[in-house]
Amino acid sequence: MSERFERAQFYQDISRRRDIAPLTPSEREDFHSSALEVVENAEVIRLNGQFIGSGEIADVFTGVKGSSGENICLKFVARHPAKAAYTNSLEQEMQMQVKAFDIVQEGKKGAPMAKIPRPIAYLKSEGGSEYLAMERVRGKTLYRILLERMAEQMPEYLYLPGMRREDISALSDEDIERMVIWDYLKAQQRTRKELYNIILKRLEEKPFLSVGIVKKVRNAINALHGVQFYHRDLHEKNIMVSDDLTDAYLIDFGSASSGEYSSPSDAFEVDKSGEEIRFLDDKYILTVLDHMTVKA
């Protein structure tokens, strides 16, 4: 593949913290070469089963190694949203993630906080392909965890053909969602919101998160809001929880805003081109987390 990068913005190498030192020219060149390899092997990675998720405009995959041997996550634009004017470009999203990362890193000196995946680079190829590289978080989205826990309550006759209870974690998000929502909860006569409230109610009877997780998420949100940074899309699919249930991560900054608004109310209800847009209040997720938190 002969395609080179039209633009490349580097934030940190996967093997070092951003507060140690910037990349040297030689290190940047090494990363540049690695990034080219990432682009060249993107389809191979996906075909090998390392595709790990998709959103409204982008797909995410992993399987790429940084210089320290650590897995990195790569996000690339796969679709154009119907309302592109209301979302950040991938380059703007990276800029928002870098700001959020720095704000939370600084805030952690005073209180435990939810984390932001470490940003690495924004890359745009001469052919127009855009990529956002970051550390891969070892965990699952909160939404995925909820679905898995609901699936564990299901009678086995509702499982997919040939599937056993121990196979739940290997299912794709789409398969487990279809199995839980459409087959188990019988979604035909209910709205998605009604079904989701059923899931929360059932899981409230078997809470599994520590109070510490909620505190970390709340502290991170407060730190971001303290400098007029608003995520504005902080729902169950944009919160990740580590495999050992001790850490939470805020992900996907495609709707984030920094320094534009002086108050949350202004940031969540905005007027763009004469149309009123209502974004999601960041503190919504705290209410959701409370449903699944073990009470003292």
Side-chain angles (χ1 to χ4, degrees):
M1 182 176 179
S2 60
E3 186 174 45
R4 299 296 292 176
F5 292 118
E6 171 190 306
R7 188 159 68 258
Q9 297 174 357
F10 298 89
Y11 297 100
Q12 67 175 115
D13 182 75
I14 195 72
S15 64
R16 77 172 76 207
R17 299 198 314 273
R18 292 179 63 237
D19 57 359
I20 294 178
L23 296 179
T24 66
S26 173
E27 288 171 328
R28 285 196 175 197
E29 182 57 36
D30 288 343
F31 189 87
H32 191 279
S33 298
S34 299
L36 257 184
E37 187 177 343
V38 166
V39 175
E40 290 172 347
N41 290 294
E43 285 305 308
V44 174
I45 291 167
R46 293 180 66 188
L47 291 172
N48 285 342
Q50 293 168 306
F51 172 70
I52 58 173
S54 62
E56 184 180 358
I57 67 168
D59 288 337
V60 183
F61 55 89
T62 190
V64 184
K65 300 290 184 180
S67 60
S68 68
E70 183 177 355
N71 259 286
I72 65 175
C73 180
L74 201 77
K75 183 173 185 176
F76 73 98
V77 173
R79 295 162 291 280
H80 291 288
K83 294 186 176 181
Y86 313 139
T87 58
N88 297 324
S89 67
L90 204 62
E91 186 170 12
Q92 291 170 325
E93 180 177 339
M94 174 53 97
Q95 292 165 356
M96 291 295 109
Q97 186 165 335
V98 169
K99 288 184 179 181
F101 182 88
D102 284 339
I103 293 165
V104 167
Q105 284 294 99
E106 183 64 27
K108 282 168 62 178
K109 297 175 182 177
M113 292 199 184
K115 300 177 180 179
I116 310 293
R118 286 182 291 142
I120 302 167
Y122 165 79
L123 308 160
K124 184 174 182 179
S125 72
E126 290 177 344
S129 299
E130 294 180 90
Y131 297 83
L132 189 160
M134 69 192 91
E135 76 166 308
R136 184 188 181 187
V137 174
R138 293 295 182 179
K140 297 175 181 176
T141 66
L142 187 59
Y143 185 66
R144 171 72 190 210
I145 294 173
L146 298 181
L147 289 178
E148 285 188 5
R149 287 179 175 263
M150 282 299 294
E152 290 168 359
Q153 298 180 18
M154 289 172 52
E156 290 201 7
Y157 74 84
L158 287 174
Y159 287 176
L160 298 176
M163 180 187 159
R164 300 164 301 170
R165 198 175 297 276
E166 54 265 35
D167 299 329
I168 291 172
S169 62
L171 287 178
S172 68
D173 283 4
E174 291 76 14
D175 280 345
I176 195 170
E177 185 177 57
R178 175 166 59 88
M179 189 174 72
V180 169
I181 290 180
W182 299 103
D183 297 341
Y184 184 39
L185 297 181
K186 307 297 183 185
Q188 288 85 347
Q189 303 301 319
R190 290 170 172 152
T191 67
R192 182 170 290 273
K193 184 176 181 180
E194 289 172 332
L195 289 165
Y196 189 67
N197 286 336
I198 291 173
I199 291 176
L200 289 183
K201 188 65 178 175
R202 293 195 185 184
L203 291 178
E204 193 171 15
E205 298 168 3
K206 295 183 178 181
F208 59 94
L209 290 179
S210 69
V211 173
I213 286 284
V214 184
K215 286 183 178 178
K216 287 180 178 181
V217 174
R218 180 182 292 109
N219 288 342
I221 290 173
N222 288 341
L224 293 168
H225 286 195
V227 290
Q228 287 78 54
F229 187 106
Y230 306 101
H231 186 286
R232 306 198 300 183
D233 196 27
L234 207 51
H235 51 71
E236 298 79 359
K237 292 183 179 181
N238 285 338
I239 287 279
M240 291 193 71
V241 179
S242 61
D243 289 332
D244 61 3
L245 302 182
T246 61
D247 278 316
Y249 293 79
L250 316 187
I251 63 172
D252 196 340
F253 293 84
S255 296
S257 169
S258 177
E260 290 182 84
Y261 307 100
S262 58
S263 71
S265 59
D266 291 337
F268 300 139
E269 294 186 32
V270 304
D271 188 318
K272 290 208 174 190
S273 303
E275 183 176 357
E276 294 216 356
I277 309 300
R278 187 180 184 88
F279 289 96
L280 185 63
D281 187 326
D282 290 349
K283 294 190 177 180
Y284 155 81
I285 198 64
L286 298 176
T287 302
V288 175
L289 288 168
D290 187 60
H291 281 280
M292 55 205 73
T293 298
V294 178
K295 306 300 188 289

